[in-house]
C-alpha cells in the first residue's frame, strides 16, 4: 500500500511496537515510527501551547499532561505527512488491531476516494461508536460489509486515521492553543465543517490495553473540575449533536 503511514509509539513501549509492526508488515503498509510526546511527567504549565482557561471553558476541566502529549503527537504526524508531499497519509496509534480484510478494504476505499470529489479532511478508520451519519458507499472486505459514511458527528477515537492533504494543512494551520484532547478537537472541528468521513464497522480496532501515552490512570480524577462540569459537558455534546443533525438533514434534502 503506497501511502505514507506514521505509527505513534512511546519510547520503551517495545511490545506494542512489535505487535503493530507485525500487523502493518503483513498488510503491506510501510510506516515511519513517530516517538510519542510523553507529557505524563510534565506539569501542564510546562506546555506553552496549552490554554488552561480555554480547556476549563470548553471541557469543564483541566487537561492532563498525557492528553496534551497525545494531541502534540498527532500534530507532529500531520506535519510529517505534509512534508512528505503525498496526497493522503495514514496515522496509527500503537494499540491498533487491524481487522481481517484491512488491506483489501483500504484498496477499495482509496480507489473510490481517488475517483470522487475530495470534499473531506479526515477519515476515521477505527471508530468504536458511530452516530448521526449518512452512508456514502458500501464495500465488502474479507466477507464483511462496510460503509463509508459522512460522519456528521465525528467519532472520538484516534486509533487509525486517514488524512487528506487539505485536512492536515487545516489542522496544522489553525492550531494555536490546546483547549481539548485531540479526539474532542477533531469532533469539534469536523462536526462544524462536515468534512469528516468514517468507515463502519471499523477497519481497525484496539487491542484493549490501557493507554500509556494518556497516563494509564483509568477514570479521570474529579479534581480541578469546574463546579458546573456536568452542564458544560452536556452542553458540548448537545451543541455538537444539533450541528450534526442539521448537516444530516441538509444533505438529505439535496
Amino acid at each position: 500500500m503506497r501511502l505514507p503511514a506514521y505509527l505513534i509509539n512511546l519510547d520503551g513501549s517495545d511490545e506494542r511496537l512489535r505487535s503493530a509492526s507485525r500487523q502493518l508488515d503483513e498488510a503491506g503498509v510501510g510506516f515511519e515510527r513517530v516517538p510519542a510526546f510523553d507529557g505524563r511527567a510534565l506539569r501542564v504549565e510546562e506546555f506553552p501551547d496549552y490554554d488552561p482557561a480555554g480547556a476549563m471553558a470548553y471541557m469543564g476541566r483541566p487537561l492532563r499532561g498525557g492528553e496534551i502529549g497525545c494531541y502534540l503527537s498527532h500534530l507532529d504526524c500531520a506535519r510529517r505527512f505534509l512534508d512528505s508531499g503525498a496526497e493522503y497519509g495514514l496515522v496509527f496509534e500503537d494499540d491498533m488491531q487491524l481487522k481481517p480484510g484491512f488491506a483489501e478494504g483500504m484498496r477499495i476505499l482509496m480507489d473510490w476516494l481517488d475517483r470522487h470529489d475530495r470534499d473531506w479532511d479526515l477519515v476515521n478508520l477505527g471508530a468504536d461508536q458511530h452516530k448521526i451519519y449518512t452512508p456514502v458507499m458500501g464495500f465488502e472486505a474479507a466477507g464483511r460489509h462496510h460503509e463509508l459514511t459522512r460522519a456528521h458527528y465525528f467519532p472520538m477515537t484516534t486509533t487509525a486515521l486517514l488524512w487528506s492533504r487539505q485536512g492536515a494543512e487545516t489542522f496544522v494551520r489553525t492550531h494555536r492553543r490546546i483547549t481539548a484532547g485531540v479526539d474532542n478537537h477533531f469532533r469539534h472541528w469536523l462536526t462544524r465543517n462536515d468534512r469528516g468521513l468514517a468507515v463502519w464497522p471499523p477497519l481497525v480496532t484496539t487491542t484493549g490495553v490501557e493507554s500509556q501515552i494518556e497516563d494509564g490512570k483509568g477514570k479521570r480524577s474529579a479534581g480541578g473540575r469546574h463546579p458546573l462540569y456536568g452542564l458544560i459537558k452536556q452542553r458540548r455534546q448537545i451543541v455538537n449533536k444539533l450541528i450534526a443533525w442539521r448537516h444530516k438533514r441538509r444533505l438529505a434534502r439535496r
Side-chain angles (χ1 to χ4, degrees):
M1 190 176 299
R2 296 181 178 178
L3 283 174
Y6 305 91
L7 176 67
I8 299 172
N9 172 249
L10 198 64
D11 288 343
S13 296
D14 299 330
E15 181 53 41
R16 289 176 181 233
L17 178 59
R18 282 191 291 270
S19 173
S21 298
R22 181 177 65 253
Q23 295 178 66
L24 292 172
D25 288 345
E26 290 174 355
V29 180
F31 70 93
E32 174 185 343
R33 176 185 177 269
V34 177
F37 190 104
D38 189 356
R40 297 171 299 173
L42 297 179
R43 299 188 304 275
V44 292
E45 59 267 24
E46 296 180 73
F47 296 94
D49 287 1
Y50 176 50
D51 179 357
M56 190 63 73
Y58 185 68
M59 296 296 297
R61 62 172 178 82
L63 298 185
R64 298 180 296 174
E67 289 179 289
I68 301 169
C70 186
Y71 182 110
L72 293 174
S73 298
H74 277 276
L75 187 64
D76 184 12
C77 288
R79 286 170 171 156
R80 290 176 189 237
F81 158 53
L82 292 175
D83 288 344
S84 76
E87 287 299 313
Y88 309 105
L90 287 163
V91 176
F92 298 97
E93 295 175 348
D94 64 4
D95 61 346
M96 46 149 278
Q97 182 72 51
L98 301 186
K99 299 292 287 184
F102 169 81
E104 178 186 2
M106 284 301 300
R107 283 192 293 270
I108 296 169
L109 179 62
M110 294 310 304
D111 179 65
W112 190 90
L113 291 171
D114 261 340
R115 291 185 289 105
H116 292 77
D117 291 338
R118 298 179 185 178
D119 61 338
W120 59 277
D121 289 334
L122 188 62
V123 184
N124 196 316
L125 302 171
D128 63 348
Q129 294 185 11
H130 198 23
K131 303 174 182 177
I132 315 178
Y133 60 88
T134 299
V136 175
M137 72 97 174
F139 61 96
E140 303 291 324
R144 192 181 192 195
H145 184 76
H146 298 267
E147 294 277 353
L148 174 67
T149 73
R150 178 69 60 177
H152 307 296
Y153 188 60
F154 195 74
M156 288 281 284
T157 47
T158 54
T159 306
L161 304 170
L162 174 66
W163 281 106
S164 71
R165 188 163 192 82
Q166 181 173 338
E169 286 174 346
T170 301
F171 177 38
V172 171
R173 185 184 70 251
T174 59
H175 166 69
R176 295 292 182 271
R177 302 279 281 168
I178 300 172
T179 59
V182 71
D183 49 1
N184 271 290
H185 175 78
F186 287 159
R187 169 165 285 177
H188 179 91
W189 164 41
L190 294 161
T191 294
R192 279 153 183 77
N193 71 5
D194 202 31
R195 290 176 58 85
L197 303 177
V199 174
W200 187 257
L203 290 171
V204 186
T205 57
T206 70
T207 58
V209 296
E210 197 171 62
S211 172
Q212 291 179 316
I213 191 173
E214 290 201 27
D215 302 352
K217 292 180 181 176
K219 287 189 175 181
R220 296 186 180 98
S221 167
R225 286 181 175 180
H226 192 286
L228 300 177
Y229 168 77
L231 290 176
I232 292 171
K233 180 179 179 180
Q234 188 176 51
R235 179 188 64 185
R236 182 176 71 248
Q237 293 174 336
I238 289 172
V239 170
N240 283 332
K241 287 179 180 178
L242 287 173
I243 293 170
W245 278 113
R246 185 181 66 199
H247 286 308
K248 181 176 173 66
R249 287 194 298 269
R250 185 194 64 198
L251 195 60
R253 290 196 296 266
R254 289 183 181 177

